[in-house]
């Protein structure tokens, strides 16, 4: 009973840390949707426990969390699907990168077992999980304090009446990033259960790096579009 409670309890904070990090990376509002976010975090924690512990099919946990998160962004926050998929992928890759890098460091210092990444409970698991949660919150707070993160994605709720133009550079980047993120998550799960922690780190950091570059490019395109519109207005004036 106690391990189940700890799993779900820490899982809620784990999910909250991931959600907060993902949203602050793209300057999305938090307090406006705080009750929905908390409810979703509780749901994800219970779902994860059910999948990993009760049904014992942990390989489905991470891909399903990705799917649930971008559906949450779509239906609970009013973010368009391709945009939500991109935020979900970037957020997961960032969070998993933090977790795997911490595991790699702790493994060097404390010589942890390779099975830690596949286990659900235990002091080593809790230690890595709590360290990841704290680190993610610190990164999110730093982004908020120093006005960091990317701003090319509009605040929700998005306009679903106007038809989306997927031929724009920004939307193409979002689609590429979303496909890459989901594909990498599948490969990461395979590498994880093949006990190849180094490959997991490489995949997660690579995906986060690509998401970062695409996001940076998105900010650049957003600024350039604003400048061009400003120039056109001045010419008309």
């Amino acid at each position: 009973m106690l391990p189940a409670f700890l799993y779900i309890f820490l899982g809620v904070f784990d999910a909250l840390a991931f959600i907060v990090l993902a949203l602050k990376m793209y300057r999305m509002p938090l307090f406006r949707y705080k009750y929905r976010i908390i409810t979703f975090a509780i749901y994800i924690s219970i779902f994860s426990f059910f999948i990993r512990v009760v049904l014992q099919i942990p390989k489905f946990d991470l891909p399903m969390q990705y799917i649930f998160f971008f559906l949450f962004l779509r239906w609970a926050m009013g973010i368009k699907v391709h945009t939500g998929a991109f935020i979900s992928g970037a957020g997961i890759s960032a969070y998993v990168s933090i977790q795997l890098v911490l595991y790699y460091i702790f493994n060097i210092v404390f010589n942890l077992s390779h099975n830690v990444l596949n286990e659900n409970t235990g002091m080593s698991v809790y230690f890595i999980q709590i360290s990841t949660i704290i680190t993610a919150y610190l990164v999110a707070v730093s982004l908020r304090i120093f006005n960091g993160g990317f701003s090319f994605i509009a605040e929700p709720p998005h306009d679903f009446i106007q038809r989306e133009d997927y031929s724009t550079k920004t939307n193409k980047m979002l689609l590429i990033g979303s496909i890459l993120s989901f594909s990498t998550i599948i490969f990461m799960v395979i590498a994880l259960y093949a006990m190849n922690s180094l490959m997991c780190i490489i995949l997660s950091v690579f995906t986060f790096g690509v998401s970062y570059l695409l996001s940076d490019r998105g900010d650049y395109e957003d600024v350039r579009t604003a400048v061009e519109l400003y120039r056109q207005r001045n010419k008309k004036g």
Side-chain angles (χ1 to χ4, degrees), residues 143-162:
L143 289 173
R144 178 67 180 86
I145 293 174
F146 297 105
N147 198 29
F150 302 102
S151 59
F152 70 98
I153 297 176
E155 278 197 10
H158 291 171
D159 182 7
F160 289 91
I161 297 176
Q162 185 177 0

PDB file of all heavy atoms in Angstrom, residues 143-162:
ATOM      1  N   LEU A 143      13.196  30.410 -16.044  1.00  0.00           N
ATOM      2  CA  LEU A 143      12.612  30.919 -17.290  1.00  0.00           C
ATOM      3  C   LEU A 143      11.618  32.037 -16.997  1.00  0.00           C
ATOM      4  O   LEU A 143      11.555  33.034 -17.726  1.00  0.00           O
ATOM      5  CB  LEU A 143      11.916  29.788 -18.042  1.00  0.00           C
ATOM      6  CG  LEU A 143      12.809  28.717 -18.683  1.00  0.00           C
ATOM      7  CD1 LEU A 143      11.970  27.574 -19.233  1.00  0.00           C
ATOM      8  CD2 LEU A 143      13.669  29.316 -19.787  1.00  0.00           C
ATOM      9  N   ARG A 144      10.855  31.862 -15.915  1.00  0.00           N
ATOM     10  CA  ARG A 144       9.859  32.887 -15.546  1.00  0.00           C
ATOM     11  C   ARG A 144      10.541  34.158 -15.049  1.00  0.00           C
ATOM     12  O   ARG A 144      10.174  35.264 -15.463  1.00  0.00           O
ATOM     13  CB  ARG A 144       8.947  32.325 -14.449  1.00  0.00           C
ATOM     14  CG  ARG A 144       7.904  33.316 -13.944  1.00  0.00           C
ATOM     15  CD  ARG A 144       6.895  33.642 -15.030  1.00  0.00           C
ATOM     16  NE  ARG A 144       5.898  34.571 -14.568  1.00  0.00           N
ATOM     17  CZ  ARG A 144       6.020  35.904 -14.590  1.00  0.00           C
ATOM     18  NH1 ARG A 144       7.134  36.444 -15.061  1.00  0.00           N
ATOM     19  NH2 ARG A 144       5.058  36.672 -14.153  1.00  0.00           N
ATOM     20  N   ILE A 145      11.546  34.025 -14.200  1.00  0.00           N
ATOM     21  CA  ILE A 145      12.226  35.184 -13.614  1.00  0.00           C
ATOM     22  C   ILE A 145      12.985  35.983 -14.671  1.00  0.00           C
ATOM     23  O   ILE A 145      12.925  37.222 -14.703  1.00  0.00           O
ATOM     24  CB  ILE A 145      13.178  34.747 -12.491  1.00  0.00           C
ATOM     25  CG1 ILE A 145      12.386  34.193 -11.299  1.00  0.00           C
ATOM     26  CG2 ILE A 145      14.058  35.913 -12.028  1.00  0.00           C
ATOM     27  CD1 ILE A 145      13.253  33.613 -10.201  1.00  0.00           C
ATOM     28  N   PHE A 146      13.707  35.268 -15.538  1.00  0.00           N
ATOM     29  CA  PHE A 146      14.550  35.933 -16.525  1.00  0.00           C
ATOM     30  C   PHE A 146      13.873  36.103 -17.885  1.00  0.00           C
ATOM     31  O   PHE A 146      14.531  36.402 -18.881  1.00  0.00           O
ATOM     32  CB  PHE A 146      15.859  35.153 -16.687  1.00  0.00           C
ATOM     33  CG  PHE A 146      16.685  35.096 -15.432  1.00  0.00           C
ATOM     34  CD1 PHE A 146      16.748  33.935 -14.676  1.00  0.00           C
ATOM     35  CD2 PHE A 146      17.379  36.218 -14.989  1.00  0.00           C
ATOM     36  CE1 PHE A 146      17.498  33.875 -13.507  1.00  0.00           C
ATOM     37  CE2 PHE A 146      18.128  36.169 -13.825  1.00  0.00           C
ATOM     38  CZ  PHE A 146      18.194  35.001 -13.085  1.00  0.00           C
ATOM     39  N   ASN A 147      12.538  35.905 -17.893  1.00  0.00           N
ATOM     40  CA  ASN A 147      11.742  36.107 -19.101  1.00  0.00           C
ATOM     41  C   ASN A 147      12.284  35.265 -20.263  1.00  0.00           C
ATOM     42  O   ASN A 147      12.396  35.732 -21.398  1.00  0.00           O
ATOM     43  CB  ASN A 147      11.733  37.593 -19.491  1.00  0.00           C
ATOM     44  CG  ASN A 147      10.599  37.932 -20.439  1.00  0.00           C
ATOM     45  OD1 ASN A 147       9.541  37.291 -20.412  1.00  0.00           O
ATOM     46  ND2 ASN A 147      10.810  38.915 -21.293  1.00  0.00           N
ATOM     47  N   GLY A 148      12.634  34.021 -19.946  1.00  0.00           N
ATOM     48  CA  GLY A 148      13.166  33.119 -20.952  1.00  0.00           C
ATOM     49  C   GLY A 148      12.063  32.350 -21.651  1.00  0.00           C
ATOM     50  O   GLY A 148      10.868  32.579 -21.445  1.00  0.00           O
ATOM     51  N   GLY A 149      12.449  31.432 -22.498  1.00  0.00           N
ATOM     52  CA  GLY A 149      11.484  30.646 -23.252  1.00  0.00           C
ATOM     53  C   GLY A 149      11.221  31.249 -24.621  1.00  0.00           C
ATOM     54  O   GLY A 149      11.695  32.343 -24.941  1.00  0.00           O
ATOM     55  N   PHE A 150      10.452  30.537 -25.412  1.00  0.00           N
ATOM     56  CA  PHE A 150      10.164  30.953 -26.786  1.00  0.00           C
ATOM     57  C   PHE A 150       8.773  31.567 -26.877  1.00  0.00           C
ATOM     58  O   PHE A 150       7.855  31.139 -26.183  1.00  0.00           O
ATOM     59  CB  PHE A 150      10.285  29.750 -27.724  1.00  0.00           C
ATOM     60  CG  PHE A 150      11.639  29.105 -27.681  1.00  0.00           C
ATOM     61  CD1 PHE A 150      11.842  27.930 -26.963  1.00  0.00           C
ATOM     62  CD2 PHE A 150      12.714  29.670 -28.333  1.00  0.00           C
ATOM     63  CE1 PHE A 150      13.087  27.326 -26.913  1.00  0.00           C
ATOM     64  CE2 PHE A 150      13.972  29.081 -28.289  1.00  0.00           C
ATOM     65  CZ  PHE A 150      14.153  27.912 -27.579  1.00  0.00           C
ATOM     66  N   SER A 151       8.624  32.542 -27.751  1.00  0.00           N
ATOM     67  CA  SER A 151       7.379  33.314 -27.793  1.00  0.00           C
ATOM     68  C   SER A 151       6.655  33.241 -29.129  1.00  0.00           C
ATOM     69  O   SER A 151       5.674  33.957 -29.339  1.00  0.00           O
ATOM     70  CB  SER A 151       7.689  34.791 -27.479  1.00  0.00           C
ATOM     71  OG  SER A 151       8.613  35.318 -28.419  1.00  0.00           O
ATOM     72  N   PHE A 152       7.112  32.384 -30.061  1.00  0.00           N
ATOM     73  CA  PHE A 152       6.493  32.368 -31.389  1.00  0.00           C
ATOM     74  C   PHE A 152       5.133  31.669 -31.401  1.00  0.00           C
ATOM     75  O   PHE A 152       4.390  31.775 -32.369  1.00  0.00           O
ATOM     76  CB  PHE A 152       7.434  31.711 -32.411  1.00  0.00           C
ATOM     77  CG  PHE A 152       7.619  30.233 -32.244  1.00  0.00           C
ATOM     78  CD1 PHE A 152       6.884  29.342 -33.022  1.00  0.00           C
ATOM     79  CD2 PHE A 152       8.517  29.723 -31.327  1.00  0.00           C
ATOM     80  CE1 PHE A 152       7.049  27.977 -32.873  1.00  0.00           C
ATOM     81  CE2 PHE A 152       8.695  28.360 -31.186  1.00  0.00           C
ATOM     82  CZ  PHE A 152       7.958  27.480 -31.956  1.00  0.00           C
ATOM     83  N   ILE A 153       4.806  30.928 -30.321  1.00  0.00           N
ATOM     84  CA  ILE A 153       3.500  30.278 -30.231  1.00  0.00           C
ATOM     85  C   ILE A 153       2.561  31.188 -29.440  1.00  0.00           C
ATOM     86  O   ILE A 153       2.874  31.603 -28.330  1.00  0.00           O
ATOM     87  CB  ILE A 153       3.608  28.908 -29.543  1.00  0.00           C
ATOM     88  CG1 ILE A 153       4.486  27.967 -30.378  1.00  0.00           C
ATOM     89  CG2 ILE A 153       2.224  28.289 -29.353  1.00  0.00           C
ATOM     90  CD1 ILE A 153       4.738  26.621 -29.726  1.00  0.00           C
ATOM     91  N   ALA A 154       1.414  31.487 -30.031  1.00  0.00           N
ATOM     92  CA  ALA A 154       0.455  32.403 -29.411  1.00  0.00           C
ATOM     93  C   ALA A 154      -0.144  31.788 -28.150  1.00  0.00           C
ATOM     94  O   ALA A 154      -0.272  30.566 -28.031  1.00  0.00           O
ATOM     95  CB  ALA A 154      -0.654  32.743 -30.390  1.00  0.00           C
ATOM     96  N   GLU A 155      -0.489  32.652 -27.205  1.00  0.00           N
ATOM     97  CA  GLU A 155      -1.136  32.185 -25.976  1.00  0.00           C
ATOM     98  C   GLU A 155      -2.501  31.588 -26.292  1.00  0.00           C
ATOM     99  O   GLU A 155      -3.214  32.066 -27.175  1.00  0.00           O
ATOM    100  CB  GLU A 155      -1.307  33.346 -24.984  1.00  0.00           C
ATOM    101  CG  GLU A 155      -0.076  33.661 -24.174  1.00  0.00           C
ATOM    102  CD  GLU A 155      -0.392  34.511 -22.956  1.00  0.00           C
ATOM    103  OE1 GLU A 155      -1.588  34.689 -22.633  1.00  0.00           O
ATOM    104  OE2 GLU A 155       0.551  35.001 -22.320  1.00  0.00           O
ATOM    105  N   PRO A 156      -2.888  30.539 -25.578  1.00  0.00           N
ATOM    106  CA  PRO A 156      -4.226  29.965 -25.766  1.00  0.00           C
ATOM    107  C   PRO A 156      -5.290  30.839 -25.112  1.00  0.00           C
ATOM    108  O   PRO A 156      -4.952  31.670 -24.260  1.00  0.00           O
ATOM    109  CB  PRO A 156      -4.105  28.612 -25.051  1.00  0.00           C
ATOM    110  CG  PRO A 156      -3.048  28.830 -24.006  1.00  0.00           C
ATOM    111  CD  PRO A 156      -2.070  29.793 -24.621  1.00  0.00           C
ATOM    112  N   PRO A 157      -6.545  30.647 -25.501  1.00  0.00           N
ATOM    113  CA  PRO A 157      -7.021  29.702 -26.514  1.00  0.00           C
ATOM    114  C   PRO A 157      -6.768  30.197 -27.936  1.00  0.00           C
ATOM    115  O   PRO A 157      -6.856  31.394 -28.199  1.00  0.00           O
ATOM    116  CB  PRO A 157      -8.519  29.618 -26.223  1.00  0.00           C
ATOM    117  CG  PRO A 157      -8.855  30.947 -25.620  1.00  0.00           C
ATOM    118  CD  PRO A 157      -7.659  31.365 -24.833  1.00  0.00           C
ATOM    119  N   HIS A 158      -6.457  29.254 -28.829  1.00  0.00           N
ATOM    120  CA  HIS A 158      -6.185  29.595 -30.216  1.00  0.00           C
ATOM    121  C   HIS A 158      -7.486  29.723 -31.007  1.00  0.00           C
ATOM    122  O   HIS A 158      -8.535  29.224 -30.597  1.00  0.00           O
ATOM    123  CB  HIS A 158      -5.299  28.523 -30.859  1.00  0.00           C
ATOM    124  CG  HIS A 158      -3.904  28.523 -30.314  1.00  0.00           C
ATOM    125  ND1 HIS A 158      -2.988  27.524 -30.606  1.00  0.00           N
ATOM    126  CD2 HIS A 158      -3.243  29.396 -29.497  1.00  0.00           C
ATOM    127  CE1 HIS A 158      -1.841  27.792 -30.000  1.00  0.00           C
ATOM    128  NE2 HIS A 158      -1.977  28.904 -29.312  1.00  0.00           N
ATOM    129  N   ASP A 159      -7.363  30.377 -32.145  1.00  0.00           N
ATOM    130  CA  ASP A 159      -8.514  30.588 -33.030  1.00  0.00           C
ATOM    131  C   ASP A 159      -8.694  29.349 -33.914  1.00  0.00           C
ATOM    132  O   ASP A 159      -7.866  29.077 -34.789  1.00  0.00           O
ATOM    133  CB  ASP A 159      -8.277  31.828 -33.887  1.00  0.00           C
ATOM    134  CG  ASP A 159      -9.458  32.140 -34.796  1.00  0.00           C
ATOM    135  OD1 ASP A 159     -10.506  31.478 -34.653  1.00  0.00           O
ATOM    136  OD2 ASP A 159      -9.328  33.033 -35.658  1.00  0.00           O
ATOM    137  N   PHE A 160      -9.795  28.612 -33.696  1.00  0.00           N
ATOM    138  CA  PHE A 160     -10.047  27.398 -34.476  1.00  0.00           C
ATOM    139  C   PHE A 160     -11.000  27.654 -35.647  1.00  0.00           C
ATOM    140  O   PHE A 160     -11.263  26.755 -36.440  1.00  0.00           O
ATOM    141  CB  PHE A 160     -10.627  26.301 -33.580  1.00  0.00           C
ATOM    142  CG  PHE A 160      -9.625  25.744 -32.614  1.00  0.00           C
ATOM    143  CD1 PHE A 160      -9.483  26.291 -31.343  1.00  0.00           C
ATOM    144  CD2 PHE A 160      -8.808  24.688 -32.967  1.00  0.00           C
ATOM    145  CE1 PHE A 160      -8.561  25.789 -30.445  1.00  0.00           C
ATOM    146  CE2 PHE A 160      -7.877  24.169 -32.079  1.00  0.00           C
ATOM    147  CZ  PHE A 160      -7.746  24.722 -30.813  1.00  0.00           C
ATOM    148  N   ILE A 161     -11.515  28.870 -35.736  1.00  0.00           N
ATOM    149  CA  ILE A 161     -12.422  29.200 -36.840  1.00  0.00           C
ATOM    150  C   ILE A 161     -11.630  29.435 -38.124  1.00  0.00           C
ATOM    151  O   ILE A 161     -11.985  28.947 -39.196  1.00  0.00           O
ATOM    152  CB  ILE A 161     -13.264  30.450 -36.488  1.00  0.00           C
ATOM    153  CG1 ILE A 161     -14.148  30.157 -35.262  1.00  0.00           C
ATOM    154  CG2 ILE A 161     -14.118  30.857 -37.685  1.00  0.00           C
ATOM    155  CD1 ILE A 161     -14.938  31.348 -34.789  1.00  0.00           C
ATOM    156  N   GLN A 162     -10.534  30.186 -38.001  1.00  0.00           N
ATOM    157  CA  GLN A 162      -9.700  30.460 -39.162  1.00  0.00           C
ATOM    158  C   GLN A 162      -8.924  29.212 -39.565  1.00  0.00           C
ATOM    159  O   GLN A 162      -8.310  28.546 -38.739  1.00  0.00           O
ATOM    160  CB  GLN A 162      -8.723  31.600 -38.863  1.00  0.00           C
ATOM    161  CG  GLN A 162      -7.894  32.030 -40.058  1.00  0.00           C
ATOM    162  CD  GLN A 162      -6.997  33.219 -39.715  1.00  0.00           C
ATOM    163  OE1 GLN A 162      -7.016  33.709 -38.587  1.00  0.00           O
ATOM    164  NE2 GLN A 162      -6.227  33.664 -40.689  1.00  0.00           N
TER     165      GLN A 162
END
